[in-house]
Amino acid sequence: MARIDLDNIRHAYMPAPKRDEDFALKRVHHTFDDGGAYALLGPSGCGKTTLLNIMSGLLRPTEGKILFDGRDVTGLSTEERNIAQVFQFPVVYDTMTVYDNLAFPLRNRGVAADEIDRRVTETLAMIGLAERARQKARGLTADDKQKIALGRGLVRSDVSAILFDEPLTVIDPHMKWVLRSQLKELHRRFSFTMVYVTHDQTEALTFADQVVVMNEGEIVQIGTPEELFERPNHTFVGYFIGSPGMNVLPVVLDGAVARIGSHVMTLPGATGPVGAQRTELGIRPEYVRIGREGIPVTVERVEDVGRRKIVHASIDGHPLAAIVPEDEAVPAEPHVRFEPAGINVYADSWRMDLGEAS
Amino acid sequence: MLELRNVSKVVSGQTHINDVSLTLQPGSLNVLLGPTLAGKTSLMRLMAGLDRPTAGSVWMEDRDVTGVPVQKRSVAMVYQQFINYPAMTVYENIASPLRVAGADKATIEEKVARAADLLHLTPHLARTPLELSGGQQQRTALARAMVKEARLVLLDEPLANLDYKLREELRAELPKIFAASGAIFVYATTEPSEALLLGGNTATLSQGRVTQFGPTIEVFREPVDLVTARTFADPPLNIVAVRKSAGELQLDSGDRLPVPSGLSGLADGGYTLGFQPHHLSLAARAPDALRIGAVVSVTEITGSESFVHLDFAGHRWVMLEEGVHRFDVGEAIDVFIDTRHMLVFDAGGRRISSAGAMAA
Amino acid sequence: MTKTWNNRAWFFVLPVLLLVAFNAIIPLMTVVNYSVQETFGNNLFFFEGTKWYEAVLASERFHGALLRQFMFTGIILLIEVPLGVAIALTMPRSGPWVSVCLVLMALPLLIPWNVVGAMWNIMALPDIGLLGYGLNKLGIPYNFTRQPFSAWFTVVLMDVWHWTSLVVLLAYAGLRSIPEAYYQAAKIDGASRFSVFRFIQLPKMNRVLTIAVLLRFMDSFMIYTEPFVLTGGGPGNSTTFLSIDLVKAALGEFNLGIAAAMSIIYFLMTLLVSWIFYTLMTRGEEQ
């Protein structure tokens, strides 16, 4: 396993990029630590797959260097980089048995037969396909095929990293849970460096120790799932993570006081002088409390989604979503309060630190 | 009103649809929920008239339409793949069903403009579909289905190929887009959470059978049997087999649990208990919550919630707790089952409603 | 996939049904009729049962033609299928050269069969043809009207030139349908060029190659025009394949009964061998 350094990577699909907009990947400078579990999360076209292909060596970046454990691999091919990759649609060798599929990468590298047998048997047990070792790969279900694809990476004990390109796209919801938790368990036991590309926040957040949120070719924030949830650096992160996403309300700031329309509320801390064009308050629906006190709201719609209710309300015409637990009701004449811990303030979409309340 | 009466479809010896009866009301949104190959698409094809049922009949407004081909019915369909005419502009794509129907120019212009406005396509009308993002391509397909003003609109996993966030947006818009039309909507999905967000009615499908049909939230909370409950659970339903005797619940593992007050009326015998992951918690939510000792195998943390995978007496369970909770793997913890929401199934997998349990 | 159900669609099949009836079924029945009767002219026919069949099956001449036919079909399949696949593998997967290659490949297929025969006839002439003259100049004795081996060589070469393109086009279509991810995964697994072919390309081409082999088998089994134009079945009987033999019997010797029985045997054989091929090649291919 290896540490991966991305040194000022830029990439453009057009031949002579000049302006910033020409780049599919504007500038990425980041280190993936050895043994870490990372997710690249963002909408389609944000550059996450481009970045993954640069790491795997399927694409050569227009600018910048990529290093594995300090060694420059920018010019090296995929096989020379010694990485494993699991694709969106399961790639298996149809005519081979499950066992032979796993042995394939080892045989190609001239590993001794008894060593192959030992490692394949071990890996089959790890991915839970020991009983199907002699079966042809063709007839298996999508989730088993995806396990084989993963197994072909795991079987090579020396891989630098395992890369995942939206691996659960074709898997049924029930099997997603099983595969995800197995992947998590494998990572914990064997500490592979793993990078996982997805547009699905649940997959990214549950899989990764560190989530890299990307938008329009740039990294917007890197953080633990908790940080991304509690302290989104940018309103995009607030919107993109969480379901429903963070409420963003336009406010007028004055020290530790925020004015939302005609209502006034106290912030947990004071902002410094604000020179921004636009100031907003971000609050996740999970931190909006509906009760009889606070700012009056108009409830427009309540969605009962089983384990909780999503209340769509508005404050002076600004939409606001709130979450109410399964067994609680929405009161008549509803008011909302914001949990101080969940309040973030944004200037021109970027988060401002709140100082001590004066 | 669309009615399926004891409809079956057998293709070369394999039963794709097995004796399905459904009545769908005009203006209703109906979700077909089930895993891949459960029969969602087959059922939609029968509804549309693309296929003829092997047995049973299809009725539209009290008229037997079995065998009437799709062209003669009023049906619009949207698929998982973004299907548009690639050589036509978005405007022409949306206008195409109107042109087929021979609408006059003014009507076409007006209807296309309205659909484009609702689906946020107005700035893209002059482009061709391939120049658009996936979300916009699917919006174009939806707009085409909308202007057709069909009495039956079939949506076969229309959001499956879209990004998570785009799905969220479009899913919220869909009911609004189609609300005014008074048509019957059928929406197929593999995801329980999607069914819950859409609301309306849900029919759960398993191996070609409709196991239950009713208001979505009712099917979710009051499943008639174990198959339905498992189909309609994400994360997966937690289950455990028990035997009730002598005022105790005995597990296969030899563990014994006290009978919660809600189940005291239950006759002695073998049962399966089922409960949703969010009805398992670290602290007792009700006085008669059942305390159980389990071992943590994996914890998944989303930043706001924790999915704790547990091993309990050979069963794999998932607990969904608000907030961030970290546990070591192999750590033994006490968890509580909220028995108010516990589902009890008899040996045949039928759910015993709490009222039934009292009477027994 | 299940088919759209619509009764009116049957009307579209009607012209084809009529065509098949006039083109295939009625002539076939006539042939069956001839094959069990004897005529001495004047439209007088006598029922003969299986006499002609027995005669054909026992004749040395039929055995010879049959053996030559199987040899010819075997040889051209052995050459055309691997060669076609090899050419398809070297064709570019994308870019402007794709259409150029496809057009070049399609050219031989567009030439009428008798023209192909005539072309090769001229080309192979030992005194003025490029091929014949060239080979003789190189010191290789070559004369396709005199030497059976030269005749065979020319007929096989002509068929390979004419029909390999078909295999190429089919194989290329099969190759194009393989998703890019397979090649990437193979790279990552460190697979050799041969492994990629053996475990990815060949299995994915399986279906189209089945079709290619079937088409080439049936077509070559019925080959008539080109060898007729080129060698007329000679020298001697050396390139007299089944159809040529059949025409000799029917038109040359006016042995209607024999020719009809041969036709039926010939037809059943093509059917049987095609069926065996198909079953063998699609075995275990469900889903």
Side-chain angles (χ1 to χ4, degrees), chain C residues 26-46:
Chain C
I26 293 172
L28 188 70
M29 288 336 286
T30 320
V31 172
V32 169
N33 196 26
Y34 281 142
S35 77
V36 291
Q37 298 187 74
E38 164 90 283
T39 180
F40 303 103
N42 296 341
N43 258 351
L44 282 172
F45 287 90
F46 307 94

Side-chain angles (χ1 to χ4, degrees), chain A residues 142 170-173, chain B residues 33-40 157 189-190 205 207:
Chain A
V170 295
I171 310 294
D172 265 357
Chain B
L33 173 67
T36 314
L37 298 179
K40 302 186 294 295
E157 298 190 50
T189 180
T190 58
L205 265 91
Q207 298 177 348

Side-chain angles (χ1 to χ4, degrees), chain A residues 53 56 58 78-79 83-85 87 89-96 104-105 108-109 138 152 156, chain C residues 181-182 184-192 195-196 198-200 203-204 206 283-287:
Chain A
N53 287 341
S56 67
L58 296 169
T78 305
E79 31 309 30
I83 50 101
Q85 186 161 350
F87 296 89
F89 297 97
V91 174
V92 296
Y93 304 108
D94 282 341
T95 50
M96 293 188 202
F104 189 62
N108 289 333
R109 288 174 174 76
R138 171 184 290 142
R152 283 205 313 272
R156 291 154 53 197
Chain C
Y182 278 83
Q184 295 177 359
K187 260 191 201 170
I188 287 166
D189 288 336
S192 62
S195 292
V196 171
R198 168 73 185 77
F199 297 114
I200 296 173
K204 297 275 171 198
N206 202 353
R283 197 177 43 180
E285 256 235 343
E286 283 83 55
Q287 291 286 282

Side-chain angles (χ1 to χ4, degrees), chain B residues 7-61:
Chain B
V7 164
S8 292
K9 177 76 184 170
V10 180
V11 180
S12 50
Q14 278 187 310
T15 305
H16 290 193
I17 294 297
N18 187 358
D19 192 17
V20 166
S21 297
L22 272 181
T23 304
L24 307 180
Q25 299 296 339
S28 65
L29 172 63
N30 307 281
V31 180
L32 301 180
L33 173 67
T36 314
L37 298 179
K40 302 186 294 295
T41 303
S42 305
L43 196 56
M44 282 194 158
R45 293 180 62 89
L46 292 173
M47 289 176 177
L50 285 164
D51 289 332
R52 189 196 171 98
T54 316
S57 54
V58 181
W59 295 70
M60 191 83 191
E61 325 289 4

Side-chain angles (χ1 to χ4, degrees), chain B residues 108-119:
Chain B
I108 292 177
E109 243 163 54
E110 183 217 315
K111 285 188 175 169
V112 172
R114 198 158 48 89
D117 183 49
L118 254 169
L119 283 150

